[in-house]
Amino acid sequence: MNACQAGHTEHRTKAVPVILGQADAVFQMEIYEPEEYRDTVGYCPGDDAVSRVLDAEGVWEKWNTEFLLKRRVFQGGVVIDCGAHIGWYSMLAASQGCDVFAFEGDPENAALLELNAEMNGFEDWVTVTVEWIEDGWKLEVDLDQVDLIKVDLEGNDEYAIEGVWDAIDSGIVKHLLVEISPVFRTGYPELVRRICEAGYSAEVMGPKVFSLPSYEWIKDCHQVDILFTKES
């Protein structure tokens, strides 16, 4: 299925060098041609901010990436990537020895994700499922130790959290990285409260990481990433 609303049957791509935690390690990722599809009307996979930043800087969400590595979030366990896109966080986790289960609804993005895993020798560590995460979705994976569940679904994040809630509630999930998007839905304060009341602390990501001031603070955000950490 082609999800492009602009009518493109395919999108041009290219390989670029990227930094997955070690500046002296050589990795590559296949990205969409950065400028060719900019400002396309309607949803177009090729009109992609991730590709433009990777082309320019070799790293996506630099602050998040550096903080996750500094905090040693990746401990060789399982990572669940909900809204995996072309695979930045999946590749980052695999480069740190984790087994990754990646879920991506756009088949063209998912194909690039699989290619990126193969290009870097991670194909045995990254399992890609082409699936839109919507209301009623449930994770069907046997889990033991989960280092991280990353959720970035542009408003559908609550469906992913509900679908992995059994794992969260059981206490086996050490961290969650969730993009909070009040620009799309109003229920994020309650979603964050639910996770925190399950025994997690919440830190707001950015150039300076800080503890979540309050649940009400979220209402005034456009979009922000929050790292939840299981309290001992």
Side-chain angles (χ1 to χ4, degrees):
M1 181 184 70
N2 181 6
C4 182
Q5 295 175 346
H8 303 136
T9 57
E10 60 182 16
H11 299 87
R12 292 180 58 212
T13 64
K14 70 174 186 177
V16 296
V18 298
I19 303 167
L20 293 173
Q22 296 175 293
D24 59 345
V26 179
F27 296 98
Q28 284 194 321
M29 284 186 65
E30 194 78 10
I31 64 171
Y32 295 105
E33 281 286 353
E35 298 301 325
E36 185 162 344
Y37 308 100
R38 184 190 282 269
D39 299 326
T40 300
V41 176
Y43 171 71
C44 171
D47 186 9
D48 180 34
V50 177
S51 293
R52 288 193 284 271
V53 172
L54 287 178
D55 185 55
E57 302 177 14
V59 59
W60 171 245
E61 296 189 337
K62 187 173 186 288
W63 296 321
N64 287 5
T65 296
E66 291 179 347
F67 190 79
L68 293 178
L69 294 171
K70 182 179 179 180
R71 183 65 68 85
R72 299 184 182 276
V73 165
F74 304 110
Q75 294 289 320
V78 168
V79 169
I80 308 297
D81 192 350
C82 299
H85 193 248
I86 63 173
W88 175 257
Y89 283 99
S90 291
M91 297 305 104
L92 181 64
S95 76
Q96 303 300 307
C98 295
D99 289 314
V100 181
F101 294 91
F103 298 87
E104 170 55 39
D106 185 297
E108 205 168 355
N109 287 345
L112 282 186
L113 198 165
E114 290 184 321
L115 177 59
N116 286 327
E118 293 171 5
M119 287 172 58
N120 293 289
F122 299 149
E123 62 268 31
D124 292 337
W125 286 271
V126 179
T127 301
V128 180
T129 300
V130 183
E131 184 176 16
W132 294 105
I133 294 179
E134 299 174 317
D135 191 12
W137 177 82
K138 188 173 179 63
L139 181 67
E140 301 291 349
V141 177
D142 291 330
L143 299 172
D144 182 14
Q145 172 190 328
V146 180
D147 289 346
L148 177 70
I149 296 177
K150 173 237 148 188
V151 182
D152 183 353
L153 294 171
E154 304 297 318
N156 276 9
D157 310 281
E158 63 182 291
Y159 303 139
I161 296 301
E162 186 61 40
V164 300
W165 190 257
D166 287 349
I168 294 172
D169 198 40
S170 72
I172 65 171
V173 179
K174 294 182 178 180
H175 302 89
L176 299 97
L177 179 64
V178 183
E179 184 180 71
I180 303 301
S181 301
V183 65
F184 294 121
R185 294 180 186 268
T186 60
Y188 280 96
E190 286 308 310
L191 180 66
V192 172
R193 180 192 299 274
R194 184 185 185 193
I195 297 172
C196 290
E197 289 180 351
Y200 289 83
S201 61
E203 296 170 288
V204 180
M205 305 293 281
K208 184 177 181 180
V209 177
F210 57 92
S211 296
L212 180 69
S214 69
Y215 301 126
E216 293 301 307
W217 177 88
I218 295 167
K219 292 181 179 179
D220 295 325
C221 296
H222 181 77
Q223 284 184 308
V224 66
D225 293 327
I226 294 183
L227 179 67
F228 298 91
T229 300
K230 186 68 174 176
E231 297 176 325
S232 55

